[in-house]
Amino acid sequence: MLKDQETLESPSVARRFVDGCGRTISYLRLSVTDRCDLRCRYCMSERPDFLPKSDVLTLEELYRVACLFVAHGIETIRITGGEPLVRKNLMDLLRPLGDMLKAREGYSSLKALTLTSNGTQLERYAEDLFSCGIRRVNVSLDSLDEKVFSHLTRGGSLGLVLAGIDAALRAGLKVKINCVALDGVNVDTPEVDRLLAWCGERGCDLTFIEVMPMGDIGNEKRLQQFYPLTELRRSISQRWTLEKSSHRSGGPARYVRCLETGKNIGFISPLTENFCDGCTRVRVTCTGMLYPCLGQESGANLRKLLRNPQSDGRADAALSDRIASVVLKKTRGHDFVIDSSNRASVSRTMNATGG
Ligand code: SAM
Ligand code: SF4
């Protein structure tokens, strides 16, 4: 069990982290591992080099990072990876984070604790997540066709993921489905319509994501994978009634409401439409790298400061100063480009960044 930190007892929120464009940072994506039980072709190579275990932050260190951000006014923490549910004893981190939600009034800025998962372990952990205070999860589901799913994930079981989603819904979790649009794989009309209807039947919102040129993915070619969401949206709107929606999630997604299903459809389209302007997110990886932007190479290593044997107060002040100076460099937009060179725009893969 993690010991309580000073932050829980402190009712005041320290200065908020503000970037160079004047945006107040309100959302932290905290990656707890780069490991995963799937090998999605757009995310990593078949035999990825995972980060050295000695560099991976302990649950206590991750909790300390989270507390520090909460002390500076962060309102949402999304736990991610790699696959977060393969991290051993993850609930020992989530429980005290959930306690910060309960202790919110007057004590903590934290309003939501969420998680992104591939769903394979949800059947086992859905109830635990709910009891830790999590109410919403995002689950990646790129195809409802067993063969396509298995090919895309290099051997993953669709049945396991669907059972995980059902378990999450039964446990009372709201589930949003994430689907990476992949040319020639999952963007044809029957496949898209099936996913839209399936989400509607289960009361799930659905967000499509453009593939992003991140890291070495072996023999796979980004240009071949890429499918523009402007095109997908146009095609969906020919068959479904889409209404403008003002729904926002603090990131680059834009939403419409599908009248037939009554659910939101999100589009994260960094390549065809850049909606970085209102982004108030930052990411901390499982090794303590702070990235102010998903699509920029620059970041800063917090691990040394986290492992500095100074007394907690001084070390936390040094960490806060470091974070504030890095956040200040958050730029207005990303550096993603997909072209025939098939070069990655940033060298780290998504699983190592915390997607
Ligand atoms: N393992 C969990 C999952 O798959 O949901 C959480 C981590 S995963 C890196 C987070 C999200 O990033 C998933 O929705 C996944 O589909 C997406 N993703 C991974 N690599 C991507 C890429 N190169 N471009 C766009 N999205 C990507
Ligand atoms: Fe694993 Fe998620 Fe990457 Fe797929 S997208 S390989 S599930 S981390």
Side-chain angles (χ1 to χ4, degrees):
M1 188 64 185
L2 299 167
K3 70 175 164 36
D4 282 357
Q5 298 264 326
E6 241 172 280
T7 322
L8 277 177
E9 284 131 38
S10 160
S12 58
V13 166
R15 83 198 130 113
R16 308 280 306 259
F17 295 127
V18 179
D19 75 8
C21 306
R23 296 170 295 194
T24 300
I25 303 306
S26 64
Y27 183 118
L28 170 68
R29 256 184 206 201
L30 184 61
S31 174
V32 295
T33 183
D34 65 325
R35 268 69 171 172
C36 188
D37 52 355
L38 299 181
R39 296 283 182 276
C40 301
R41 289 173 187 270
Y42 52 78
C43 179
M44 55 170 81
S45 65
E46 194 168 6
R47 286 184 194 79
D49 289 325
F50 289 119
L51 299 163
K53 276 209 167 132
S54 57
D55 288 355
V56 173
L57 302 185
T58 63
L59 294 177
E60 285 81 1
E61 288 168 335
L62 287 163
Y63 180 62
R64 188 163 158 221
V65 170
C67 285
L68 207 77
F69 273 93
V70 171
H72 287 268
I74 282 281
E75 292 167 9
T76 302
I77 297 179
R78 178 173 291 281
I79 303 293
T80 184
E83 174 47 40
L85 294 178
V86 303
R87 176 77 196 242
K88 213 171 156 201
N89 299 326
L90 180 68
M91 300 308 146
D92 288 350
L93 169 67
L94 299 187
R95 227 170 285 117
L97 290 181
D99 289 344
M100 278 201 262
L101 283 173
K102 290 172 206 153
R104 183 154 83 84
E105 268 161 46
Y107 288 92
S108 158
S109 60
L110 194 63
K111 291 181 184 157
L113 178 63
T114 61
L115 176 126
T116 300
S117 169
N118 64 23
T120 59
Q121 317 272 325
L122 266 179
E123 212 177 356
R124 182 170 169 201
Y125 289 117
E127 287 184 6
D128 289 345
L129 293 176
F130 189 90
S131 72
C132 288
I134 291 186
R135 294 293 175 266
R136 293 185 281 123
V137 290
N138 286 0
V139 181
S140 298
L141 179 61
D142 300 318
S143 176
L144 284 168
D145 180 301
E146 214 169 313
K147 277 195 188 142
V148 173
F149 184 88
S150 170
H151 171 77
L152 258 181
T153 55
R154 297 193 178 95
S157 155
L158 175 66
L160 202 60
V161 172
L162 298 186
I165 293 171
D166 284 344
L169 292 168
R170 271 198 312 276
L173 295 166
K174 210 169 165 205
V175 177
K176 178 167 81 71
I177 301 298
N178 281 341
C179 173
V180 177
L182 297 160
D183 196 15
V185 177
N186 61 359
V187 288
D188 61 332
T189 300
E191 176 84 14
V192 170
D193 287 356
R194 189 176 168 191
L195 191 60
L196 273 166
W198 185 91
C199 286
E201 284 157 19
R202 280 156 191 79
C204 300
D205 288 342
L206 167 65
T207 292
F208 291 104
I209 305 173
E210 269 174 359
V211 78
M212 298 171 217
M214 296 185 67
D216 174 16
I217 51 166
N219 296 330
E220 302 291 324
K221 300 276 177 282
R222 290 290 182 205
L223 198 55
Q224 277 171 24
Q225 294 178 334
F226 178 71
Y227 189 79
L229 288 190
T230 40
E231 184 53 35
L232 186 65
R233 184 170 164 169
R234 192 194 56 75
S235 132
I236 292 174
S237 69
Q238 287 174 346
R239 305 181 304 279
W240 301 78
T241 321
L242 307 182
E243 216 176 44
K244 270 192 186 159
S245 164
S246 54
H247 180 71
R248 290 282 182 276
S249 51
R254 286 298 177 273
Y255 296 87
V256 292
R257 193 156 188 85
C258 177
L259 292 194
E260 286 83 357
T261 65
K263 304 311 297 175
N264 290 318
I265 307 176
F267 296 89
I268 300 181
S269 48
L271 279 302
T272 54
E273 291 174 291
N274 188 328
F275 293 127
C276 296
D277 262 12
C279 178
T280 57
R281 299 178 172 180
V282 295
R283 286 173 164 79
V284 174
T285 72
C286 64
T287 56
M289 287 298 298
L290 167 65
Y291 290 109
C293 174
L294 179 64
Q296 296 258 336
E297 200 68 68
S298 63
N301 192 342
L302 305 179
R303 193 172 65 250
K304 265 197 196 146
L305 284 173
L306 272 167
R307 294 186 173 171
N308 183 337
Q310 273 182 330
S311 72
D312 266 6
R314 272 191 304 152
D316 280 0
L319 269 166
S320 298
D321 287 348
R322 183 84 176 112
I323 294 168
S325 73
V326 175
V327 164
L328 208 54
K329 293 185 194 138
K330 182 172 165 72
T331 51
R332 196 163 285 286
H334 60 72
D335 282 344
F336 288 140
V337 177
I338 293 186
D339 58 24
S340 55
S341 73
N342 274 303
R343 258 197 308 271
S345 303
V346 295
S347 57
R348 57 187 191 273
T349 48
M350 190 71 100
N351 68 298
T353 309

